[in-house]
Amino acid sequence: TKHSFPLLVLFFLAFLVAPGHLAAQRGTEFWLAPPDITDLHNSPGGEPLYVIVSSAGAASTVTIDVPANGAFVPIVVTVQANKSQRVNLTAFKAQLETRPTNTICNTGLHITATTPITAYYECANTNNTDIWALKGPNGLGQQFYIPLHKHAPFNNEASFSAPHQAFASFDICATVNNTTVTIYSPTQVDGHAALQQFSITLNRGQTYSCGWTGANWSLPSTHPSGAVVLANQPVVVSI
């Protein structure tokens, strides 16, 4: 999400949300559509960026990749038993942030490990600092609902002009080639009218950001809260 709030709370929501949803979960494979974070809020905003991986017992060889971007050289690190490692991804910010909206991008982040680990994606700027707890297999789903606030007192930062607006969005990452994603939003989103279902096709590691950057984009009433995402193959969704 591109935002100007002190904190962004991210939920990976499948059809059901289990207790403890803010904690990372163990696994050997993780996906994320990295969000586009407002870069003028404590410029350069949205950085530094890190991936934090922790072994869940045995040592693990961890590979960080962007599968849809052939120019990205995978990063391989070894995490010792019961240890953590913080990998700086700031240099790859332009290749990771899922932007612009209404565009198929090649920014999906993929993390694999030889033994179970936990993984987090972190924006460590003093403004908009936050951490995304990756859910492994529990983050995958084919039916998602988007929970964004629409509270009138909490407008987005309105002083940043395009393409730097602080707007609410949700980001989708496919894990399988030829994934059909169908989106239905109660509010208009870039390229699509409100209450009109539309579909896109994503290949493995491709991403799509859905939000509104047009007139009155700073108003909470334009947030695509309650939007529905359906897919014929497993995807992950972040907000």
Side-chain angles (χ1 to χ4, degrees), residues 2-229:
K2 191 172 186 179
H3 63 292
S4 62
F5 298 110
L7 290 177
L8 167 68
V9 179
L10 172 81
F11 298 89
F12 282 91
L13 292 177
F15 185 64
L16 295 177
V17 179
H21 54 265
L22 292 181
Q25 296 176 4
R26 292 183 181 183
T28 56
E29 184 175 29
F30 305 84
W31 291 90
L32 175 69
D36 175 14
I37 300 173
T38 310
D39 58 357
L40 294 185
H41 198 205
N42 192 33
S43 182
E47 58 180 83
L49 292 174
Y50 299 97
V51 161
I52 304 168
V53 289
S54 301
S55 68
S60 187
T61 300
V62 178
T63 302
I64 301 169
D65 193 16
V66 183
N69 180 357
F72 187 92
V73 178
I75 300 169
V76 181
V77 298
T78 299
V79 183
Q80 299 301 319
N82 300 307
K83 299 291 184 180
S84 297
Q85 190 157 335
R86 198 181 193 204
V87 182
N88 193 326
L89 297 182
T90 307
F92 308 104
K93 175 182 173 181
Q95 300 176 58
L96 291 172
E97 291 194 331
T98 304
R99 59 180 299 177
T101 58
N102 192 34
T103 302
I104 294 175
C105 302
N106 296 322
T107 60
L109 183 65
H110 183 224
I111 301 171
T112 56
T114 55
T115 62
I117 62 168
T118 59
Y120 294 85
Y121 180 83
E122 177 187 12
C123 173
N125 193 301
T126 55
N127 290 21
N128 301 324
T129 186
D130 211 341
I131 196 164
W132 286 254
L134 306 188
K135 296 300 183 181
N138 289 330
L140 300 175
Q142 294 176 253
Q143 182 175 359
F144 295 79
Y145 298 93
I146 307 303
L148 290 165
H149 84 79
K150 299 177 77 73
H151 304 304
F154 300 102
N155 290 12
N156 293 326
E157 170 59 58
S159 65
F160 303 152
S161 59
H164 308 284
Q165 301 105 314
F167 59 91
S169 66
F170 57 93
D171 303 329
I172 303 161
C173 180
T175 66
V176 179
N177 285 340
N178 298 313
T179 297
T180 300
V181 180
T182 299
I183 298 168
Y184 177 90
S185 174
T187 62
Q188 61 184 343
V189 292
D190 289 345
H192 303 278
L195 304 175
Q196 290 192 6
Q197 177 177 297
F198 65 96
S199 297
I200 57 172
T201 299
L202 301 176
N203 286 325
R204 182 175 182 268
Q206 288 190 317
T207 56
Y208 181 85
S209 183
C210 192
W212 176 246
T213 62
N216 299 318
W217 52 265
S218 67
L219 301 180
S221 59
T222 66
H223 294 180
S225 179
V228 181
V229 177

